[in-house]
Amino acid sequence: MTQAPTTSRRIGRQHDREILALALPAFGALVAEPLFVLVDSAIVGHLGTAQLAGLGVAAALLSTAVSVFVFLAYATTAAVARRVGAGDLPAAIRQGMDGIWLALLLGAAVVALTLPTAPWVVEAFGASGTAAPHAATYLRVSSLGIPAMLVVLAATGVLRGLQDTRTPLYVAIAGFSANAILSVTLVYGAGLGIAGSAWGTVIAQCGMAAAYLTVVVRGARRHGASLRPDTAGIRASAQAGVPLLIRTLSLRAVLMIATAIAARLGDVPVAAHQIILSLWSLMAFALDAIAIAGQAIIGRYLGAGDTEGARAVCRRMVRWGVISGVALGVLLVAARPLFIPLFTGDDAVRQALLPALLVVALTQPVAGVVFVLDGVLMGAGDGPYLAGAMVVTLAVFAPVALLVPALGGGLTAVWWAMSLMMATRMVTLWLRMRSGRWLVTGATR
C-alpha cells in the first residue's frame, strides 16, 4: 500500500535535484549579465554627467537590440535538448551549430546597420546635445561586439540543451571580471574615456564567445558533428525563432507602454516606476532560472518520447515556481526598509513606491507559474502558441493600461494593470498546459 507513494516521492526528489542542478547555475549566469552595464556605469560615471547620460542611452539601445534576439538561446535550447533526449548527440551539436551560424549572420547585419546610423538613432532616442556624442561613440564601438553577444546567446542555448548550465556560469563570471579590469585599464590607464569602456565590453564579449565556441567545437569533433554552415539548418533555426521573436517583441511592448504611462503621470511616479521595474526584473532572473531548467528538461523528455515524465516534471516545476514566487514576495516586503533608501531619499518617491511594491509582492506567485510554464512550452518547441498567447496578452493589457491616466489612476493602478497582464499570461499558458497539445514527442517537433 505504501510502495506507490514512496516511489512517487522518490521520483519527485529526483526531479527536484535535476531542476536545482540546472536552475541554480543558470540563476548565477543570469545575474552576472546585467553587471556588465552596472560596472560600466560605475566607471564611466566618474568621467562626468554627460558621459554617464550617453552610456545610459547607448546601453538601453544595445540591451533592446540584443534582447530581441534572445530567441537564439531559447529556440536552440529546445531543439538541442530534443535530440539529446532522442540519444543523437551529433545531431544535437549540429543543430546547435546552425543556431551559432544564424547568430553570426544576424550579428553582422546589426553591425552593418548600426555603424552608419548610430548618431541618428541616438538623436531619435532623445539624447541631449551634450550626451549624444558620447552615446554615439559608445554605441558604435559596442556594436562591434554584437556578433559575439549573439554567439554567446546561441552557444548558451546549445549548452543548456546539453543539460549544462555550469559552463555558462563560469564563462559569465570570467567575462564580468575581464570586463571590469579592461574597462578600468582602458578608460583611465589608456585615457580612452567612454570609448575605452565600450572596447572593454567588446573584448570581454569576444572572449566569452571564444570560450563557448571552444567548448562546442570540442564537442562537435568528439561526436563527429559537422561545423560547416548548413543553409537548410540555419533556415530551420530562423523559422523556429520567429514565433519567439514575436513573443519577445510583444512583451517589450508591454514594458514600454507601462513606462510611457508612468512618465505621463509625472516625475515622481516615473522615478518610483523605474525602481519597481528594476526590482521586478531582478526577481524575474530567479524565476527565469527555473524556466531555463524547464526548457532543457522538457525538451529532453519529449525527445525521448516520455510524455508522462514531461508531465511529472512540469508539475514539479510549477510547484517550485509558486514556492519561489511566495518567497520572493515575502522577501520584497520584509527587505523594503533596507533597499528603498539605496534607490532614493525622496519621501514623495517612497510614498508612491510602497503601494505599487505591495502589488508586485502579492503577484509574485502568479509570476512564478508564468515563468515556469513559459519555459515548459519553450522546451516543447511550442513557439507559435507562445507568440499568439503573448499577442492576446498585449491586446488585453494595452487598453486597460491606457485608461489609467484617463481615469485618474496613479502608479499603483499601472502595476495592477501589469498584474492583469501576468494573470492573462498565466491563464493562456495554463490552458495550453492542461490541454496536453504541447506534448509532441520526437527528435524534432
Side-chain angles (χ1 to χ4, degrees):
M1 295 293 289
T2 60
Q3 184 65 31
T6 301
T7 302
S8 178
R9 283 195 295 270
R10 186 175 66 252
I11 293 173
R13 286 195 295 269
Q14 289 174 351
H15 286 154
D16 289 344
R17 285 194 295 269
E18 187 174 24
I19 292 165
L20 290 175
L22 290 171
L24 291 178
F27 174 66
L30 288 169
V31 170
E33 291 174 10
L35 294 179
F36 274 80
V37 176
L38 187 64
V39 167
D40 285 351
S41 299
I43 293 169
V44 171
H46 291 286
L47 294 175
T49 301
Q51 287 88 338
L52 184 58
L55 171 64
V57 171
L61 289 167
L62 283 167
S63 175
T64 300
V66 174
S67 68
V68 164
F69 297 110
V70 74
F71 69 83
L72 288 166
Y74 294 159
T76 304
T77 298
V80 171
R82 274 186 176 269
R83 285 163 173 79
V84 169
D88 192 348
L89 282 177
I93 297 174
R94 174 67 261 175
Q95 178 71 44
M97 285 305 306
D98 292 336
I100 290 172
W101 281 112
L102 176 62
L104 284 169
L105 291 172
L106 291 173
V110 174
V111 172
L113 182 65
T114 304
L115 286 176
T117 62
W120 177 83
V121 171
V122 164
E123 183 180 349
F125 201 72
S128 67
T130 54
H134 300 295
T137 296
Y138 190 93
L139 183 59
R140 271 183 168 153
V141 175
S142 292
S143 69
L144 298 176
I146 287 178
M149 294 181 195
L150 299 190
V151 167
V152 166
L153 284 176
T156 300
V158 176
L159 294 182
R160 288 173 180 170
L162 294 171
Q163 316 297 296
D164 176 9
T165 56
R166 290 183 179 274
T167 299
L169 172 61
Y170 301 147
V171 174
I173 292 172
F176 165 70
S177 303
N179 178 59
I181 294 169
L182 286 166
S183 293
V184 171
T185 302
L186 295 174
V187 171
Y188 299 114
L192 295 180
I194 193 170
S197 177
W199 278 116
T201 300
V202 169
I203 295 169
Q205 291 285 357
C206 288
M208 292 171 67
Y212 275 119
L213 288 175
T214 299
V215 174
V216 174
V217 168
R218 283 178 181 171
R221 288 175 176 168
R222 187 165 57 250
H223 295 286
S226 173
L227 297 173
R228 295 177 184 175
D230 177 69
T231 303
I234 293 171
R235 188 185 302 115
S237 294
Q239 289 172 346
V242 168
L244 295 181
L245 175 62
I246 294 170
R247 167 203 167 275
T248 300
L249 290 173
S250 300
L251 181 57
R252 297 292 299 186
V254 165
L255 299 178
M256 289 174 64
I257 290 170
T259 300
I261 291 171
R264 289 186 187 180
L265 299 177
D267 289 347
V268 168
V270 76
H273 173 78
Q274 187 57 41
I275 294 170
I276 297 172
L277 192 59
S278 298
L279 293 166
W280 189 77
S281 299
L282 180 62
M283 290 185 293
F285 286 133
L287 299 174
D288 203 26
I290 305 173
I292 287 169
Q295 292 170 32
I297 297 171
I298 293 295
R300 195 188 76 232
Y301 270 102
L302 293 179
D306 186 356
T307 57
E308 287 306 312
R311 283 185 184 276
V313 79
C314 174
R315 289 192 294 268
R316 206 72 184 182
M317 281 187 287
V318 168
R319 179 181 175 184
W320 273 106
V322 173
I323 292 170
S324 299
V326 171
L328 287 171
V330 171
L331 181 63
L332 187 66
V333 173
R336 70 188 188 281
L338 300 176
F339 64 75
I340 289 179
L342 297 176
F343 286 101
T344 180
D346 189 325
D347 286 337
V349 173
R350 291 183 183 184
Q351 289 176 5
L353 179 69
L354 285 174
L357 201 64
L358 292 175
V359 173
V360 173
L362 285 171
T363 55
Q364 280 307 292
V366 173
V369 175
V370 167
F371 274 82
V372 165
L373 293 181
D374 208 39
V376 165
L377 296 184
M378 281 185 191
D382 205 9
Y385 183 84
L386 288 171
M390 197 62 227
V391 170
V392 168
T393 299
L394 175 60
V396 171
F397 167 79
V400 174
L402 292 171
L403 281 173
V404 169
L407 297 178
L411 182 64
T412 304
V414 172
W415 278 94
W416 275 120
M418 287 288 285
S419 300
L420 172 65
M421 180 270 293
M422 294 301 289
T424 304
R425 289 186 72 189
M426 185 178 74
V427 170
T428 57
L429 298 176
W430 185 265
L431 289 173
R432 186 63 167 182
M433 189 273 290
R434 294 282 294 178
S435 74
R437 294 177 183 173
W438 55 280
L439 292 164
V440 179
T441 58
T444 58
R445 184 179 171 90

